[in-house]
């Protein structure tokens, strides 16, 4: 399928917006709440991992803690989507932020038992399953359809920055100078501020079917029917289906690289595990770069084509990372004069700039997959089932995360980390090839975008 220039899958029916998206005060409230809540969430996970590691000194316990942040999403996510679609989205945002503010304080009890930490993890994640679909459903209700790409770009940029602030700045410095309990108290305060921000959102429309229409004797059947409706739409609309597959692939890749990075740095690069920043930082810069230019690129390529370019680039980057060990005899002589003669470091350290280049390409590819796919999904999802559709997306992401957590370390131990990275790259290539072929065979689709509303 040739790339299509200046084509969009979205038929825009509303007049062009005037001015910047930041002039939309209601969107600014939601965006500000997202920025604070994401920073709080990233700091929460860092703080949780620190207290578990310092208390247990056990990799197995640390793995169990990570699983306790994933499994609740698998079991609660779909039911949360049904609840969100039958509720006022603003109320869901308010209550989930408020509840998370109080649940976070449960981490203060970690000296008593790490079982408390696992329970707080599960409860926190369960509540977040309601927040995610409600937030994603609210964005299309607050901005014009032609501003959705800009809105998603901003949200993804904020997510990247919040990871930096939460994991690199807020959590480490607070823990170092004031201790983990102080961090959890600050996080609770951030969620209270988020609660205040979302109370400023418009009330929204009453859902077509409210929670009051659910009856105890038919509850299970009603939930199955609601989920069946969402699933039939997802599988019937090929664009929606592949957008969800692409987003699930992208979210899984982040976890895969996070798990493999320390071992990769030691075994392949010959440097310390804590120097994984040389892999993560360029990837983050790549994501940042693409968020700044994706709106301009959307004027030349369709959103689907941008996703395909991103998958292709991600595949190339992963395979290049896997091959860097084989390229060492070619690459290291060219830099040995700098690292060996001047810096007095092992010649293999000359591979670090090359790895940074590959990692940056990975970040660019990730951004090109994530932002356009999420925009397409928001545009095509019917307003009455947005919550369920995004809940299915979260469930798919959580399910896909379990396998890397459970098996990836053992696989890398058995066959080598570079071979594991190569296999991951080939799997991404398969997703790219099958998805691109499937969408090429489909008839060109430009459905009427979903109506705005809450």
């Amino acid at each position: 399928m040739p790339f299509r220039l200046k084509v969009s899958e979205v038929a825009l029916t509303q007049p062009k917006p005037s001015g910047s998206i930041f002039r939309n005060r209601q969107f600014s409230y939601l965006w500000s709440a997202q920025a604070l809540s994401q920073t709080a969430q990233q700091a929460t996970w860092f703080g949780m991992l620190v207290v578990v590691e310092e208390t247990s000194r056990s990799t197995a316990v640390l793995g169990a803690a990570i699983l306790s942040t994933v499994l609740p999403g698998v079991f609660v996510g779909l039911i949360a989507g049904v609840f969100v679609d039958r509720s006022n989205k603003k109320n869901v945002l308010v209550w989930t932020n408020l509840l998370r503010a109080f649940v976070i304080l449960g981490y203060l009890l970690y000296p008593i038992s790490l079982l408390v930490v696992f329970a707080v993890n599960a409860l926190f994640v369960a509540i977040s399953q309601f927040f995610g679909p409600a937030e994603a459903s609210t964005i299309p209700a607050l901005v014009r359809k032609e501003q959705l790409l800009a809105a998603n770009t901003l949200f993804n940029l904020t997510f990247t920055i919040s990871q930096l602030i939460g994991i690199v700045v807020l959590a480490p410095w607070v823990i170092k100078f004031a201790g983990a309990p102080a961090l959890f108290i600050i996080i609770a305060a951030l969620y209270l501020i988020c609660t205040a921000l979302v109370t400023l959102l418009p009330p929204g429309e009453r859902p077509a079917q409210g929670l009051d229409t659910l009856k105890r004797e038919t509850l299970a059947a009603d939930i199955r029917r609601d989920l069946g409706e969402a699933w039939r739409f997802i599988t019937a609309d090929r664009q929606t289906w592949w957008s969800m597959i692409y987003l699930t692939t992208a979210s899984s890749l982040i976890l895969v690289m996070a798990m493999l990075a320390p071992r990769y740095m030691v075994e392949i690069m010959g440097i310390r595990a804590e120097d994984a920043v040389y892999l993560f930082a360029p990837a983050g810069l790549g994501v940042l770069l693409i968020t700044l230019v994706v709106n301009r690129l959307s004027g030349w390529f369709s959103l689907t084509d941008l996703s395909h370019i991103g998958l292709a680039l991600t595949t190339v980057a992963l395979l290049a990372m896997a091959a860097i060990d084989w390229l060492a005899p070619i690459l290291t002589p060219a830099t040995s004069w700098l690292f060996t003669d001047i810096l007095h470091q092992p010649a293999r350290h000359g591979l670090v700039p090359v790895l940074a280049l590959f990692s940056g390409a990975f970040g660019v590819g990730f951004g090109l997959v994530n932002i356009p796919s999420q925009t397409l999904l928001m545009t095509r999802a019917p307003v009455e089932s947005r919550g369920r559709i995004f809940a299915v997306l979260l469930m798919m992401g959580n399910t896909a995360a379990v396998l890397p957590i459970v098996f990836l370390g053992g696989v890398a131990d058995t066959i080598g980390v570079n071979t594991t990275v190569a296999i991951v790259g080939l799997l991404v290539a398969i997703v790219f090839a099958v998805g691109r072929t499937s969408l090429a065979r489909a008839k060109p689709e430009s459905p009427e975008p979903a109506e705005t509303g809450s």
Side-chain angles (χ1 to χ4, degrees):
M1 181 181 69
F3 288 126
R4 305 181 303 277
L5 294 180
K6 293 186 178 295
V7 175
S8 175
E9 292 86 345
V10 183
L12 303 178
T13 58
Q14 294 187 357
K16 293 289 183 181
S18 59
S20 167
I21 193 172
F22 292 106
R23 293 187 180 181
N24 184 332
R25 184 179 301 176
Q26 296 166 353
F27 172 80
S28 295
Y29 293 146
L30 182 65
W31 171 67
S32 300
Q34 184 249 6
L36 289 176
S37 66
Q38 285 293 344
T39 300
Q41 183 167 313
Q42 301 305 319
T44 297
W45 299 140
F46 185 95
M48 181 271 295
L49 292 174
V50 167
V51 299
V52 170
E53 168 64 22
E54 291 182 348
T55 304
S56 69
R57 301 295 180 183
S58 167
T59 303
V61 174
L62 199 61
I66 295 174
L67 276 178
S68 70
T69 68
V70 173
L71 293 179
V74 176
F75 298 110
V76 178
L78 296 180
I79 298 175
V82 174
F83 180 91
V84 169
D85 277 338
R86 290 174 173 266
S87 305
N88 181 282
K89 308 301 184 294
K90 174 182 176 179
N91 291 341
V92 175
L93 292 172
V94 170
W95 280 104
T96 51
N97 276 311
L98 186 60
L99 288 173
R100 289 193 292 183
F102 285 100
V103 168
I104 286 295
L105 297 177
Y107 285 121
L108 297 175
L109 303 177
Y110 75 88
I112 299 175
S113 172
L114 286 181
L115 293 177
V116 175
V117 174
F118 295 167
V120 173
N121 283 348
L123 185 57
F124 178 85
V125 172
I127 295 171
S128 297
Q129 299 309 300
F130 294 84
F131 174 83
E135 181 187 59
S137 299
T138 302
I139 294 173
L142 296 179
V143 304
R144 298 173 184 268
K145 298 180 182 71
E146 61 267 37
Q147 286 185 316
L148 270 178
L149 181 61
N152 277 299
T153 299
L154 185 60
F155 266 62
N156 277 272
L157 176 62
T158 305
F159 178 77
T160 303
I161 295 175
S162 70
Q163 285 185 310
L164 177 65
I165 296 175
I167 295 176
V168 179
V169 180
L170 177 62
W173 284 97
V174 173
I175 291 176
K176 181 177 181 178
F177 292 106
L183 174 66
F184 296 129
I185 292 172
I186 291 173
I187 291 171
L190 290 177
Y191 277 118
L192 288 177
I193 296 173
C194 294
T195 303
L197 287 169
V198 294
T199 58
L200 301 175
L201 296 176
E205 298 178 2
R206 180 180 175 85
Q209 288 184 306
L211 289 173
D212 53 356
T213 62
L214 293 174
K215 301 186 182 300
R216 185 171 56 183
E217 56 273 14
T218 61
L219 180 61
D222 290 340
I223 290 176
R224 285 197 300 270
R225 185 193 66 240
D226 284 2
L227 292 175
E229 289 176 358
W231 185 251
R232 282 191 294 274
F233 171 80
I234 291 169
T235 54
D237 185 74
R238 197 169 299 189
Q239 195 73 258
T240 296
W241 171 252
W242 282 106
S243 292
M244 297 189 75
I245 295 295
Y246 294 167
L247 287 168
T248 301
T249 301
S251 64
S252 299
L253 281 176
I254 293 299
L255 180 62
V256 166
M257 296 310 295
M259 294 194 67
L260 293 180
R263 187 169 305 172
Y264 181 93
M265 301 307 289
V266 173
E267 293 186 8
I268 307 302
M269 303 303 296
I271 57 181
R272 296 172 301 177
E274 53 265 36
D275 289 330
V277 66
Y278 294 123
L279 192 153
F280 290 134
L285 290 176
V287 175
L288 177 62
L289 172 65
I290 205 61
T291 57
L292 297 176
V293 301
V294 69
N295 281 312
R296 186 180 299 274
L297 291 176
S298 67
W300 292 95
F301 300 99
S302 70
L303 297 179
T304 299
D305 288 339
L306 288 175
S307 297
H308 289 154
I309 294 171
L311 284 169
L313 185 57
T314 302
T315 299
V316 172
L318 288 169
L319 295 178
M321 289 181 195
I324 199 171
D325 194 35
W326 305 327
L327 297 174
I330 302 172
L331 297 174
T332 51
T335 57
S336 61
W337 64 272
L338 174 62
F339 286 86
T340 304
D341 300 335
I342 299 178
L343 299 179
H344 304 292
Q345 297 292 323
R348 197 172 184 83
H349 287 191
L351 293 174
V352 171
V354 180
L355 174 64
L357 179 64
F358 295 157
S359 176
F362 174 87
V364 171
F366 172 83
L368 280 174
V369 174
N370 199 56
I371 299 171
S373 295
Q374 192 161 12
T375 302
L376 273 172
L377 192 58
M378 286 184 177
T379 305
R380 301 180 78 86
V383 62
E384 67 275 5
S385 57
R386 280 181 189 148
R388 283 167 284 170
I389 289 172
F390 281 99
V392 170
L393 175 62
L394 288 175
M395 184 273 295
M396 290 171 63
N398 285 320
T399 302
V402 172
L403 291 177
I405 291 175
V406 175
F407 297 110
L408 209 57
V411 170
D413 285 340
T414 303
I415 65 176
V417 66
N418 59 335
T419 304
T420 304
V421 173
I423 292 173
V424 172
L426 292 175
L427 291 175
V428 176
I430 292 172
V431 172
F432 164 70
V434 176
R436 190 164 183 262
T437 301
S438 176
L439 290 171
R441 291 174 179 173
K443 295 180 180 179
E445 297 181 24
S446 293
E448 188 70 16
E451 294 179 2
T452 57
S454 61

